[in-house]
Amino acid sequence: MSRATRPYDAGGDVLQDWVVLPDSRRIPGNRIVRGQAARAIAEELTARVAARGIDVSRMETGGNPIYTATPAPQDSQALFAAALETLADPGLTLETYLTGRYALFQAPQTKKGSDAVNRTFIVAVGALALGDTAAALPADIDLRCYVLGQAAACCP
């Protein structure tokens, strides 16, 4: 079953983050998954790792797992493209900068290192486009973008 069509929302076990773009589109971003939905992810993850010939006996998948999950590939691509379009807009304002920053953190491009790359990129864009009016980048920006929702994570 493709990642985009998996039925993970089982009785409120999925906290879906929605990103509202400057053009008013709403695109699903990251998810926090628990309960039966998390157990389904654990089973799929274990099967994928085992299929590569890796010993899965030490993987912790019991109990009540909680996972964070990135958007489906097509949603991640749409968020990433929208983030870059927003940040490249010559009329960039602090508000649209914060929206672009949020979308960028909702669309990781690699399994590891995306947050570090995003931090460096977004600081450079802010300094170049907004100068002294660019919002300071909180040290925990990736966590904020995962758990606070767009309105709270985008506050300068």
Side-chain angles (χ1 to χ4, degrees), residues 42 44-47 49-50 54-62 67:
E44 183 179 318
L45 178 61
T46 302
V49 171
I54 298 172
D55 177 18
V56 296
S57 64
R58 298 186 67 166
M59 287 179 65
E60 180 56 56
T61 59
Y67 294 104

Side-chain angles (χ1 to χ4, degrees), residues 120-141:
T120 304
F121 175 73
I122 204 67
V123 167
V125 168
L128 180 64
L130 300 172
D132 292 338
T133 64
L137 188 66
D140 60 348
I141 187 63

Side-chain angles (χ1 to χ4, degrees), residues 86-105:
T86 300
L87 295 169
D89 187 332
L92 189 69
T93 64
L94 181 57
E95 182 180 342
T96 56
Y97 167 79
L98 294 172
T99 299
R101 178 179 83 178
Y102 187 70
L104 197 61
F105 278 98

Side-chain angles (χ1 to χ4, degrees), residues 13 33-44 61-65 67:
D13 286 343
V33 185
R34 67 177 187 172
Q36 184 56 41
R39 287 187 285 281
I41 289 175
E43 288 175 16
E44 183 179 318
T61 59
N64 293 309
Y67 294 104

